[in-house]
Amino acid sequence: MSTSTREKPSIVGSGILVIGAIYCLVPVVWVFMASSKSPSDLFSTFTYAPGGSLFDNIAELTDYRDGLFWRWMLNTGLYAGVGAALSTLVSAMAGYAMAKYRFRGRTAIFNILLAGVLVPGVVLAVPQYLLFAKLGMTNTYWSVLLPSLISPYGIYLARIYVSAAVPDEVIEAARTDGARDARVFRSVVMPMMVPGLVTIFLFQFVAIWNNFLLPYVMLGDDRLFPVTVGLSSLLNQGAQQPALYSIVVTGALLSILPLLALFLLLQRFWQVDLAAGAVKS
Amino acid sequence: MLPAVVLYVFSIAVPIGYTAFLSLRTVKVQGLGLGPGSRTEVWAGLSNYGGTLSDADFLSSVLRVLGYGLVVIPVMLGLALLFALLLDSVRVRARRFARLVIFMPYAVPAVISSLLWGFLYLPAVSPFTYAADQVGVTLPQPMAPGLVLFAIANIAVWGGVGFNMIVLYTALRSIPSELYEAARIDGCNELQIAWRIKIPVILPSLIMTSVFGMITTLQVFAEPTVLRPLTNNISTSWSPLMMIYRDAFTRNDIYSASATSVVLAVATFLLSFGFLRLVQNRAFAQENR
């Protein structure tokens, strides 16, 4: 890119960006401040004034029903982490097959899959519940994990990535050396796909972590909740016992910290060109 | 390939089929509806659809969500485009910082951001109420009946603007810079370049982000559901999806809920079909068929 600096930096432009950044920081800074306040200060001191009770709040949250919150965090890690990892693998295999194999019905299958992107998880949650209820599988880890494994969008991205990043010649060379399909995929294709796979993983991770309706309808036992459903049920109870608000806010802070960290660490993978369908890394 | 097809059938195709089936059924109650065998499932034809489409709650939830979409999509995409163009312009400072911070809300799930904003909307906490009090102005409550739609829209904009900004910014970065040089030689200033070159070139991305915006708008659920405990002004049928949830799980009327789901899915599908046509031919140019 050309970095011509013939003109002076634009104050208006920079100003708009900074205002945008401040807007985005408003709730995040607030949650840092609010979770350091004692329950009695939460509604009585200035919103952005820090308090000295962060560790008390964390202890309070940890005590809440014998560490239920931390169990929610572990559940979230399980749903989003394991779900995203498996779904990335499934997407990679399907994307690779569709990009590099010629088989009957390839276009049809791909179109049906794409149509699946467009009826996204949220409308599906209720039908999925009805089906899982028939099978007696609601209220289990599986009921949240299984529907998360398939991601039409992930397959779509994987297919594009394979066709852009894995040349046919490499696959042929591996075949000539006597490698079989599974081995070609594992030892040749997968390593070449790593940057694309990281991106798919991140998208899936955020999508599962963000999917509120699915666990909300599937799970009745609050020990299986992911942290989002857990905190929203706590907020519900807070309407009767405002003392709970303090731990809800502290929980909100603790729940976004790992994701913010992951996000900052991996930010270079977030470059998305949806229209061209390409994922750049 | 096989695992994907199996999972697809199990998690997407079968539920859709099952819902379509249920949407055509209903429960027939015999006698007082007590005792086994007094409730039987029978064919209902299209009567559930008739029920859904003539249900005042459903119609008002659809209208509400359309209004909500008319607020969210232009504001969110307008801001995203503005920020993306500014990031792409060489004359702006603090770019890395701004890009990172504006994108950050994407990492916060809708439930958590609704929860945070929900507190910020409470008069006792709101920094805006505080600031207004200092100068003696009384602000309206953000969750008052007429404003609650904007309160929810703000949360969606906050959560979505950064992601869309990155999409548009990536599209802008792929424009070859010779185009700009040529325009500059012809005497265009930055604004004209943005208006005449950048926006037309990234139009496909803009259309796509709008379609995605519409799809997510139709399905708004988490934000109003999380805000409900904090206000009396969000009904259980605020959005179509909330109404489906209410019918299926509070009223135990899975047949109506199924019919409503199908209507919503068809609407989503029609909206996104345009998008499908739009991307399909562009995406696989590099694959030899």
Side-chain angles (χ1 to χ4, degrees):
Chain A
M1 95 176 224
S2 73
T3 42
S4 66
T5 42
R6 273 171 289 163
E7 293 164 273
K8 281 186 193 156
S10 151
I11 295 174
V12 178
S14 314
I16 296 175
L17 274 184
V18 169
I19 293 172
I22 292 173
Y23 167 62
C24 289
L25 281 173
V26 163
V28 178
V29 173
W30 179 78
V31 73
F32 274 93
M33 294 305 162
S35 51
S36 70
K37 291 183 191 184
S38 65
S40 58
D41 285 349
L42 184 59
F43 293 107
S44 58
T45 57
F46 174 62
T47 305
Y48 283 97
S53 309
L54 177 62
F55 294 103
D56 292 346
N57 286 336
I58 294 177
E60 191 77 24
L61 178 65
T62 305
D63 280 348
Y64 177 74
R65 295 194 35 211
D66 298 326
L68 186 61
F69 173 79
W70 297 106
R71 188 159 169 162
W72 291 341
M73 291 288 273
L74 286 178
N75 291 341
T76 305
L78 179 81
Y79 294 130
V82 176
L86 290 176
S87 121
T88 306
L89 184 68
V90 171
S91 302
M93 293 195 292
Y96 169 62
M98 277 196 283
K100 295 299 178 191
Y101 290 82
R102 305 287 170 270
F103 54 89
R104 278 183 51 168
R106 183 175 74 135
T107 319
I109 292 179
F110 189 68
N111 281 339
I112 295 173
L113 273 175
L114 258 194
V117 191
L118 307 171
V119 187
V122 195
V123 179
L124 287 172
V126 173
Q128 280 163 347
Y129 171 82
L130 298 174
L131 182 73
F132 277 71
K134 270 258 175 288
L135 299 173
M137 282 172 71
T138 50
N139 212 9
T140 62
Y141 282 113
W142 291 111
S143 62
V144 176
L145 257 177
L146 274 182
S148 311
L149 294 189
I150 181 96
S151 157
Y153 188 58
I155 296 173
Y156 172 74
L157 291 181
R159 174 177 174 176
I160 288 157
Y161 199 84
V162 171
S163 40
V166 184
D168 286 345
E169 294 78 37
V170 177
I171 299 170
E172 272 155 32
R175 288 232 177 85
T176 320
D177 291 345
R180 314 188 63 158
D181 285 354
R183 190 169 158 77
V184 172
F185 178 70
R186 215 181 49 239
S187 321
V188 180
V189 177
M190 286 279 271
M192 295 179 80
M193 285 180 76
V194 164
L197 293 181
V198 173
T199 307
I200 297 172
F201 176 84
L202 287 175
F203 271 111
Q204 272 308 97
F205 190 93
V206 173
I208 299 173
W209 159 246
N210 232 327
N211 189 347
F212 175 63
L213 187 60
L214 182 71
Y216 188 69
V217 302
M218 287 288 184
L219 304 172
D221 179 352
D222 62 9
R223 283 170 308 160
L224 300 180
F225 282 177
V227 72
T228 46
V229 179
L231 286 178
S232 109
S233 74
L234 261 187
L235 183 70
N236 241 321
Q237 296 169 36
Q240 279 91 47
Q241 316 162 244
L244 284 176
Y245 280 151
S246 226
I247 72 171
V248 172
V249 172
T250 311
L253 174 70
L254 294 179
S255 76
I256 57 175
L257 283 181
L259 214 70
L260 289 181
L262 182 77
F263 185 81
L264 293 177
L265 217 65
L266 296 174
Q267 46 150 325
R268 69 194 181 87
F269 287 98
W270 296 107
Q271 292 223 343
V272 204
D273 188 348
L274 289 176
V279 179
K280 305 190 174 174
S281 318
Chain B
M1 191 66 236
L2 193 65
V5 171
V6 170
L7 282 167
Y8 184 87
V9 168
F10 183 70
S11 330
I12 299 183
V14 173
I16 291 177
Y18 187 51
T19 309
F21 170 76
L22 283 175
S23 72
L24 301 172
R25 313 267 295 171
T26 191
V27 159
K28 189 171 179 178
V29 182
Q30 285 169 337
L32 293 170
L34 303 169
S38 66
R39 297 170 70 89
T40 43
E41 220 184 79
V42 295
W43 279 102
L46 294 175
S47 69
N48 289 324
Y49 290 94
T52 291
L53 293 174
S54 62
D55 183 343
D57 277 356
F58 180 69
L59 294 180
S60 56
S61 77
V62 168
L63 286 177
R64 198 177 292 119
V65 161
L66 285 179
Y68 164 83
L70 283 178
V71 176
V72 171
I73 295 169
V75 173
M76 180 172 74
L77 292 181
L79 286 177
L81 179 63
L82 176 68
F83 294 149
L85 286 170
L86 286 173
L87 286 179
D88 191 52
S89 136
V90 289
R91 297 167 57 206
V92 168
R93 288 167 183 243
R95 270 190 292 190
R96 278 184 64 84
F97 167 77
R99 190 177 82 185
L100 195 62
V101 170
I102 297 174
F103 188 35
M104 192 182 55
Y106 180 61
V108 180
V111 173
I112 308 292
S113 53
S114 310
L115 202 151
L116 300 183
W117 278 107
F119 278 103
L120 284 170
Y121 291 154
L122 296 175
V125 178
S126 165
F128 311 106
T129 309
Y130 177 85
D133 281 350
Q134 300 301 303
V135 293
V137 180
T138 314
L139 283 184
Q141 298 297 314
M143 289 192 286
L147 289 175
V148 73
L149 186 138
F150 296 95
I152 297 172
N154 173 54
I155 299 171
V157 169
W158 184 81
V161 75
F163 178 75
N164 289 295
M165 174 189 79
I166 292 292
V167 172
L168 298 176
Y169 177 65
T170 310
L172 284 172
R173 297 315 300 271
S174 61
I175 303 176
S177 58
E178 297 86 68
L179 267 181
Y180 304 147
E181 296 301 330
R184 282 205 190 90
I185 292 167
D186 288 347
C188 282
N189 62 28
E190 288 284 329
L191 263 181
Q192 287 168 321
I193 291 178
W195 186 248
R196 301 241 171 98
I197 300 178
K198 293 183 176 179
I199 294 181
V201 171
I202 62 165
L203 200 60
S205 301
L206 268 174
I207 296 176
M208 273 225 14
T209 44
S210 322
V211 174
F212 274 127
M214 283 189 265
I215 296 175
T216 37
T217 297
L218 271 179
Q219 300 176 349
V220 55
F221 179 81
E223 293 91 345
T225 304
V226 173
L227 287 185
R228 277 199 70 226
L230 298 175
T231 172
N232 294 323
N233 297 321
I234 299 173
S235 68
T236 50
S237 58
W238 195 88
S239 81
L241 212 55
M242 289 173 78
M243 192 180 143
I244 293 173
Y245 179 85
R246 181 199 66 183
D247 286 348
F249 299 101
T250 324
R251 296 190 174 168
N252 273 318
D253 184 357
I254 54 172
Y255 311 99
S256 294
S258 297
T260 316
S261 301
V262 172
V263 171
L264 190 63
V266 168
T268 317
F269 199 79
L270 289 179
L271 269 178
S272 25
F273 193 68
F275 146 73
L276 192 75
R277 307 270 317 246
L278 193 78
V279 280
Q280 189 130 64
N281 297 325
R282 309 170 50 93
F284 302 109
Q286 45 207 337
E287 234 176 67
N288 41 351
R289 297 189 182 236

